[in-house]
Amino acid sequence: MKKTIHTQLTITFVALTIIPVLLIAIAVGWQLGIEALLIIGRVILLILFVAIGFGLWQTKNIIEPFQTFIHHAQAISEDNLSKRVPTIKFKELAKLATSFNAMTAQLQEASDTLESSVQRSTRDLRITLEISQQITTIRDIDTLLQHVVDSIQVNYRFYYVSIYLMDEKQSDLVFSVGSGEVGQKLIEQTHRIKVGQGIIGTVAQTEKHYLSNDVEDNVLFTANPLLPETNSELALPMTKNNEFIGVLDIQCRDIDCFKAYQVVLLQSLADQTAMSMENITLFNDMETSLHKVKRLNRRLTGETWDAFTKEEEHVGYRFKGNSHSPIRHDSKTWLRTMTEASMKRRLITTTTNNTVQSAELAIPLILRNEIIGVLGIKRDKHTTWDQEEINVVDTVADQLARALENVRLSKEQEKTILQLREIDRMKSEFMTNVSHELLTPLNAIIGFAELLLMGIDGELSEMAMTDVDAIFSSGKRLLALVNNVLDLSKMGAGLMDLDHNPVDIYQTFQNVHGVNIALVEDKPLEVVVDAEADMPKVWADPSRLTQIINNLVSNGIKFTEKGKVVMGAELLAEDNMMRIYVTDTGIGIPEDNFEMIFEEFQQVDARSNRQFQGAGMGLTIVRNLVEMHGSKIIVESQVGKGSKFHFTLPLYQEDITLILEK
């Protein structure tokens, strides 16, 4: 292309220069004769060479700027935006070069801004995840709060960060912790803010975040003489289980400091901090309960029988005739022989010869070589004890010791059961809070991964897209796992309730089919609905019934390589019930494992390198939800041929009254 343009321009220039000269020369030569014509021919030939040389030089000066433009355009296409077109002496081309350089500079500025924005958002996301991981390991609330404000202030390079907590009266926000020397001074001043006062108080009142990227014109902003350089402020509510507990306040030196994505990240940190505070409290309470259980266990081994008696108001009973009365610790009704028998650890007999003759017998109550009491007998008139009487009393003492131990163990067992129930409740509540705590950063990870996949923060490379897609997919799987843990925790704590309504079973099957169809794309497997569209409705919780069927279907798909997974229903007219079932042509289940598969976190194949991975919660949730509906899940299976899970539900009736027995 270059050669063609150059040649054409040269030929054109020579033609325009030589042709007029040639015509003039021919006219003059014709008049002057042949000799003059030869002289003129030589002159013309010289002019021709000069013209060709001049044409080549002139066209080179014209072509070179265009070549420069082409070279720089190729550089831009290769993402090299630092190239600039050099100065061109042709006026028109010089203007074009100036415009071209201005356009390149704008492209470079836009590219640098986009790249900087992506890098900053990625950095902030990484910082948030690191802080989230760190605070889950802290077991002291004061340490937790100080770590949060210091980490946010240092890593985000903010001017000042602080946390205010609501007081018991719910009227004031009490300064709890702040970054740097300002934080220490405000603690010494016992700084407080009224609810509704200023930006922080407004957040406490509305329980919504408040952002001011230019506080100079904000009527709610209250200047603090200790923080004279504040130009932007962001206040975020801290809530746990929908309960407001405080405010995370962040101040910045710059105007327009806070970006929208930063508000989302910092709000997740505020919520996680609140949840971590609750978890620390629960963890400490649980540790206290565990210590109590350990002390109780030591007592059950016989270490503190004496302490047990001190806890009892009455340490014995005195029987006389047909009446009896309790004996307290300070009672003076003890027989002298009883004290002696306890001290000497043996039977003591004595006979008195006072005005009223009497005889006393005392035998220690010994259990596992420990004295736990004394049996004392006093009688009048008969002043001696024969051996047979002593043997009978000794036998009674032995049985009495065992009976007292059984009573003690029974009381201790009652206390232990209450303690264990409380621990189980706390465990379930702890797991629920942990699951909620995981959901906040996990949803943030999934959300940002989705934003990156959508290209909102700029186009990613193919390798980066693959990595982000893996993060997104893994996050979704982890979210499902956390939701399962949350459901199990709610069930264990008795916090899950059903909302019964008429349910179209055919439509439910269709919904489950749509969710699971993608799981069989790479398998010679099909998911089939075996039900009529006009089947009567059942009486159940719609969302939980969908969860039951979805868990059974996804479980069948996981353990079936080829064939089909069928979900269906059939009417049991005589009972006014409907049987709902899910069958598969998978690997099957050994009969001796039918019960085990419904236990929490259990699988038939428990090896770490097992073929079919999973947490072992799906069928546990299925059984609990089915039983909450007043039914029972039944499994039928043959190894190598497949499995069938089924349960029954009542048909919906206008006047239905359903009593679920737990």
Side-chain angles (χ1 to χ4, degrees):
M1 183 67 179
K2 168 186 171 184
K3 185 176 181 181
T4 302
I5 294 175
H6 190 283
T7 303
Q8 289 177 349
L9 287 173
T10 302
I11 293 172
T12 302
F13 180 82
V14 171
L16 293 176
T17 304
I18 298 303
I19 291 174
V21 175
L22 184 59
L23 292 175
I24 295 172
I26 291 172
V28 173
W30 186 268
Q31 295 293 329
L32 297 178
I34 297 300
E35 186 175 352
L37 186 61
L38 291 174
I39 296 172
I40 292 173
R42 292 188 185 96
V43 173
I44 291 173
L45 185 60
L46 178 63
I47 294 172
L48 178 62
F49 280 116
V50 173
I52 291 173
F54 181 76
L56 290 173
W57 175 78
Q58 192 69 11
T59 54
K60 180 181 178 182
N61 289 338
I62 297 174
I63 289 299
E64 282 184 348
F66 286 103
Q67 292 175 341
T68 302
F69 280 118
I70 293 172
H71 175 72
H72 284 75
Q74 289 176 343
I76 292 174
S77 68
E78 295 171 359
D79 202 26
N80 184 358
L81 301 178
S82 60
K83 291 280 187 179
R84 296 292 185 272
V85 178
T87 304
I88 298 175
K89 57 186 178 180
F90 293 103
K91 183 177 181 181
E92 290 76 7
L93 293 179
K95 291 181 179 179
L96 179 60
T98 301
S99 301
F100 191 89
N101 289 336
M103 178 192 71
T104 306
Q106 291 176 355
L107 286 175
Q108 184 175 21
E109 182 180 357
S111 177
D112 292 342
T113 301
L114 178 60
E115 183 177 357
S116 175
S117 176
V118 171
Q119 289 178 348
R120 183 178 180 184
S121 61
T122 303
R123 177 185 67 86
D124 290 349
L125 177 58
R126 176 181 54 79
I127 291 171
T128 303
L129 292 177
E130 288 176 354
I131 297 175
S132 298
Q133 292 173 351
Q134 292 165 2
I135 65 178
T136 57
T137 63
I138 300 174
R139 290 291 173 262
D140 178 74
I141 291 181
D142 292 336
T143 304
L144 169 73
L145 298 180
Q146 188 66 58
H147 178 78
V148 168
V149 298
D150 289 343
S151 297
I152 293 176
Q153 191 267 329
V154 171
N155 288 287
Y156 280 92
R157 302 182 184 91
F158 290 135
Y159 177 36
Y160 175 71
V161 181
S162 61
I163 290 178
Y164 291 77
L165 297 179
M166 186 69 77
D167 66 358
E168 295 181 356
K169 296 181 180 180
Q170 303 291 307
S171 60
D172 287 354
L173 286 163
V174 181
F175 182 85
S176 178
V177 65
S179 58
E181 296 181 1
V182 175
Q184 288 297 117
K185 291 181 180 179
L186 291 177
I187 288 178
E188 294 170 0
Q189 297 174 7
T190 61
H191 184 56
R192 305 170 75 93
I193 295 178
K194 291 286 185 183
V195 173
Q197 175 185 348
I199 290 177
I200 296 174
T202 299
V203 172
Q205 188 175 52
T206 62
E207 298 185 12
K208 296 180 180 179
H209 80 267
Y210 191 98
L211 170 61
S212 176
N213 266 326
D214 187 356
V215 298
E216 183 177 353
D217 298 327
N218 194 306
V219 295
L220 292 178
F221 175 70
T222 302
N224 189 330
L226 297 176
L227 300 167
E229 299 180 46
T230 299
N231 281 305
S232 298
E233 184 172 4
L234 172 64
L236 303 154
M238 298 171 59
T239 58
K240 61 176 182 66
N241 298 327
N242 296 322
E243 177 188 357
F244 175 83
I245 65 168
V247 175
L248 171 62
D249 184 62
I250 305 171
Q251 299 184 26
C252 185
R253 292 184 176 91
D254 301 326
I255 296 175
D256 294 328
C257 176
F258 299 101
K259 309 302 183 211
Y261 75 88
Q262 288 181 321
V263 176
V264 175
L265 291 176
L266 293 169
Q267 182 63 69
S268 72
L269 278 179
D271 292 338
Q272 190 175 1
T273 301
M275 195 62 66
S276 294
M277 293 172 61
E278 176 71 5
N279 287 336
I280 289 173
T281 302
L282 290 173
F283 184 82
N284 292 336
D285 290 344
M286 187 168 65
E287 280 195 328
T288 302
S289 298
L290 289 174
H291 287 311
K292 290 180 180 179
V293 171
K294 290 180 180 179
R295 290 198 299 270
L296 184 61
N297 185 54
R298 289 196 299 268
R299 292 179 60 184
L300 290 174
T301 62
E303 177 185 346
T304 54
W305 231 98
D306 183 58
F308 172 75
T309 58
K310 291 180 180 179
E311 292 178 358
E312 297 294 322
E313 182 180 359
H314 304 137
V315 293
Y317 286 87
R318 182 172 184 266
F319 295 86
K320 185 176 182 179
N322 294 325
S323 63
H324 67 277
S325 58
I327 300 175
R328 299 180 180 273
H329 289 275
D330 58 350
S331 176
K332 298 180 180 180
T333 61
W334 303 102
L335 298 176
R336 180 176 57 84
T337 50
M338 295 175 68
T339 303
E340 186 179 354
S342 175
M343 294 177 60
K344 296 182 178 181
R345 298 175 62 90
R346 63 182 177 83
L347 179 147
I348 300 295
T349 61
T350 184
T351 300
T352 60
N353 293 311
N354 296 328
T355 305
V356 179
Q357 293 184 340
S358 62
E360 295 180 1
L361 174 66
I363 299 179
L365 306 179
I366 299 177
L367 183 71
R368 294 190 292 275
N369 204 35
E370 291 289 335
I371 296 178
I372 63 171
V374 180
L375 172 62
I377 301 175
K378 180 181 179 181
R379 68 182 180 184
D380 298 331
K381 298 181 181 179
H382 299 283
T383 57
T384 59
W385 300 93
D386 58 39
Q387 190 59 45
E388 184 177 351
E389 290 175 324
I390 292 174
N391 291 339
V392 170
V393 174
D394 188 40
T395 301
V396 171
D398 182 66
Q399 297 297 322
L400 182 58
R402 297 176 185 274
L404 288 173
E405 174 68 357
N406 289 336
V407 171
R408 185 188 74 82
L409 290 175
S410 177
K411 288 186 177 181
E412 297 296 342
Q413 188 176 28
E414 291 177 2
K415 292 180 181 179
T416 303
I417 291 173
L418 292 176
Q419 291 281 353
L420 292 176
R421 286 177 178 173
E422 178 63 14
I423 290 173
D424 187 67
R425 183 194 65 78
M426 291 173 62
K427 182 265 296 181
S428 297
E429 187 174 351
F430 179 77
M431 290 297 295
T432 300
N433 285 328
V434 168
S435 298
H436 278 299
E437 185 175 353
L438 287 172
L439 288 175
T440 300
L442 184 56
N443 281 321
I445 292 171
I446 294 173
F448 279 102
E450 189 173 13
L451 290 176
L452 291 173
L453 289 173
M454 294 170 62
I456 291 180
D457 290 332
E459 185 176 356
L460 301 178
S461 66
E462 184 176 354
M463 184 177 296
M465 285 289 288
T466 301
D467 293 340
V468 175
D469 185 68
I471 294 172
F472 180 75
S473 300
S474 299
K476 295 291 284 185
R477 288 195 296 271
L478 183 56
L479 180 62
L481 184 63
V482 171
N483 284 329
N484 282 341
V485 172
L486 189 58
D487 283 343
L488 284 177
S489 300
K490 287 181 179 179
M491 292 173 184
L495 300 176
M496 181 175 287
D497 295 319
L498 299 182
D499 184 16
H500 283 77
N501 284 284
V503 181
D504 186 339
I505 191 64
Y506 179 81
Q507 186 59 48
T508 301
F509 286 158
Q510 293 296 329
N511 294 340
V512 174
H513 180 276
V515 171
N516 289 277
I517 193 65
L519 299 179
V520 299
E521 290 181 351
D522 299 328
K523 288 185 176 183
L525 181 66
E526 60 178 337
V527 180
V528 179
V529 175
D530 183 20
E532 300 296 332
D534 59 349
M535 294 191 77
K537 296 181 179 180
V538 294
W539 184 244
D541 184 311
S543 62
R544 295 305 176 184
L545 179 57
T546 300
Q547 186 177 3
I548 292 170
I549 299 172
N550 185 68
N551 281 5
L552 291 175
V553 171
S554 60
N555 199 64
I557 293 173
K558 180 168 64 175
F559 293 98
T560 304
E561 290 299 323
K562 61 181 179 178
K564 59 184 177 180
V565 176
V566 180
M567 47 184 155
E570 56 187 4
L571 296 177
L572 305 176
E574 64 277 9
D575 297 324
N576 206 27
M577 304 283 283
M578 178 184 293
R579 178 183 288 116
I580 300 171
Y581 60 88
V582 174
T583 65
D584 63 62
T585 56
I587 62 174
I589 305 166
E591 187 173 351
D592 56 350
N593 289 323
F594 280 6
E595 189 62 29
M596 186 195 73
I597 60 175
F598 293 104
E599 297 297 330
E600 291 183 14
F601 313 113
Q602 294 292 327
Q603 284 199 341
V604 174
D605 184 2
R607 296 172 301 175
S608 60
N609 62 342
R610 61 182 183 263
Q611 179 181 359
F612 305 100
Q613 298 294 322
M617 292 184 288
L619 291 180
T620 304
I621 293 173
V622 166
R623 182 177 65 176
N624 288 340
L625 290 177
V626 168
E627 290 178 353
M628 289 176 68
H629 279 83
S631 186
K632 183 179 181 180
I633 186 72
I634 299 173
V635 57
E636 302 172 10
S637 184
Q638 291 185 13
V639 176
K641 293 186 177 181
S643 305
K644 178 179 181 179
F645 294 85
H646 59 92
F647 58 97
T648 59
L649 289 176
L651 299 180
Y652 169 69
Q653 302 176 55
E654 293 292 337
D655 57 344
I656 188 168
T657 301
L658 183 64
I659 301 177
L660 299 179
E661 297 183 359
K662 295 185 177 178

